[in-house]
Amino acid sequence: MGNEPVESNARYKIQSIDKALDLIELLAKNGSLSLIELTELLDQPKSSTYRIVLTLESRGFISRSDEDGKYCLGYKQLMLTRNLLERNTLRSAAWLEMKKLSERYGDTVNLGVLLGETVLYVEIIDSIHALRMTDSIGSRSPFYATAMGKAITAHMQWEEVRGLAMSCGLPAITPRTISTPEALQTELERIREKGYAIDDEEIVEGARCVAAPVFNLYGKPAGAISLSGAMHRFKEDQLPSIIQDVREAAMAVSVKLGYPTEA
């Protein structure tokens, strides 16, 4: 009985992928290996190993040394590891500050990172109110229509942001959505100057969101924190204190990530 799940899962394994992962693990353990050494360790035909090697090399997962012709892990491994570490560190650093915002306001607190033309929600503390945002961890939203997306891209080079805008086309989601590159550039300049961003019914009618960027130790935007909820809980006279608290939370996270602050 205890072996049934393992046997069942084994039937669905893709052998070529399994061998490719074995190859990556061998290189991680041994540092560098020749094609012949990999073939012997994988216990499969040389032609099969060579096809796997070519595929992984073309994707940057492994690389071949010009000196001895041996293979080692490639730059893609470093990228994946870096992204994993940065995101995990970001979530860990942000949790306490997010919790403080949640306890003070009771509205939804979000932590997001830029992923292509979207904001990826990597952590969320749900609102205690019946009317709440419906995003979930792992969901994505257009960068130009969200406070977090605008807070992050306001601190990027405009040409890079313009490329994202041209790629997605800036389709309007609500009547208040920014839908032209010119309007977006103007908005991002204002955000960069003020230090915070507001989504004013730009993605969900009847909802407002305030966000501030989180910076890493290099001074680059690592993500953003936001507080979002129904318009009647984000009235104009309440915005100054909300903005201040969100900015302070984002800065506290930035400091935890090593962001240098003025003495």
Side-chain angles (χ1 to χ4, degrees):
M1 291 288 290
N3 293 330
E4 286 180 3
V6 176
E7 293 173 356
S8 177
N9 289 338
R11 291 190 295 115
Y12 295 99
K13 290 170 62 176
I14 301 175
Q15 187 175 10
S16 59
I17 296 178
D18 206 37
K19 288 293 184 180
L21 294 174
D22 286 342
L23 189 151
I24 289 174
E25 290 178 349
L26 284 171
L27 292 179
K29 180 180 179 181
N30 294 279
S32 63
L33 294 168
S34 67
L35 180 62
I36 292 176
E37 291 171 331
L38 286 168
T39 299
E40 292 175 350
L41 290 169
L42 290 172
D43 190 24
Q44 67 174 7
K46 183 178 179 180
S47 59
S48 299
T49 303
Y50 187 59
R51 287 197 296 270
I52 292 174
V53 163
L54 285 181
T55 302
L56 292 175
E57 187 178 17
S58 69
R59 296 291 298 273
F61 284 94
I62 67 173
S63 61
R64 185 174 182 273
S65 171
D66 292 333
E67 295 181 3
D68 57 12
K70 290 188 175 183
Y71 293 92
C72 62
L73 295 180
Y75 69 91
K76 186 63 70 68
Q77 306 292 337
L78 180 61
M79 289 175 58
L80 293 175
T81 301
R82 184 197 65 189
N83 290 341
L84 178 61
L85 289 175
E86 286 182 350
R87 286 176 183 166
N88 282 349
T89 300
L90 178 61
R91 291 177 70 181
S92 299
W95 176 252
L96 181 58
E97 302 306 323
M98 294 177 67
K99 193 169 182 292
K100 289 178 182 177
L101 285 174
S102 174
E103 290 174 349
R104 176 161 186 175
Y105 292 100
D107 280 294
T108 302
V109 184
N110 307 289
L111 176 68
V113 297
L114 190 68
L115 185 62
E117 303 148 11
T118 64
V119 169
L120 173 68
Y121 292 80
V122 296
E123 190 61 82
I124 296 175
I125 300 180
D126 286 326
S127 170
I128 63 173
H129 303 291
L131 183 59
R132 65 185 71 181
M133 303 298 101
T134 58
D135 295 301
S136 58
I137 295 174
S139 63
R140 303 184 191 182
S141 295
F143 83 93
Y144 61 93
T146 62
M148 288 198 296
K150 292 187 295 181
I152 296 170
T153 53
H155 296 274
M156 294 168 52
Q157 293 295 320
W158 168 244
E159 284 307 310
E160 185 178 358
V161 180
R162 185 176 182 276
L164 296 176
M166 297 302 290
S167 178
C168 66
L170 304 180
I173 301 169
T174 75
R176 299 181 67 91
T177 305
I178 294 174
S179 56
T180 68
E182 294 77 15
L184 178 62
Q185 185 176 22
T186 299
E187 173 73 351
L188 295 185
E189 289 174 353
R190 185 200 67 79
I191 291 169
R192 186 164 56 250
E193 179 183 345
K194 299 290 186 181
Y196 65 90
I198 294 181
D199 155 18
D200 209 354
E201 297 188 280
E202 294 165 47
I203 194 166
V204 176
E205 292 187 77
R208 181 173 271 173
C209 182
V210 175
V214 172
F215 299 100
N216 61 23
L217 73 166
Y218 305 110
K220 302 292 184 181
I225 283 181
S226 72
L227 183 71
S228 57
M231 290 287 289
H232 70 267
R233 293 197 299 274
F234 284 67
K235 295 177 180 178
E236 293 296 329
D237 61 340
Q238 298 171 313
L239 281 180
S241 65
I242 293 174
I243 290 168
Q244 180 178 342
D245 288 340
V246 171
R247 290 188 65 188
E248 288 179 356
M251 181 53 65
V253 178
S254 299
V255 171
K256 292 178 185 178
L257 295 179
Y259 177 65
T261 56
E262 295 181 358

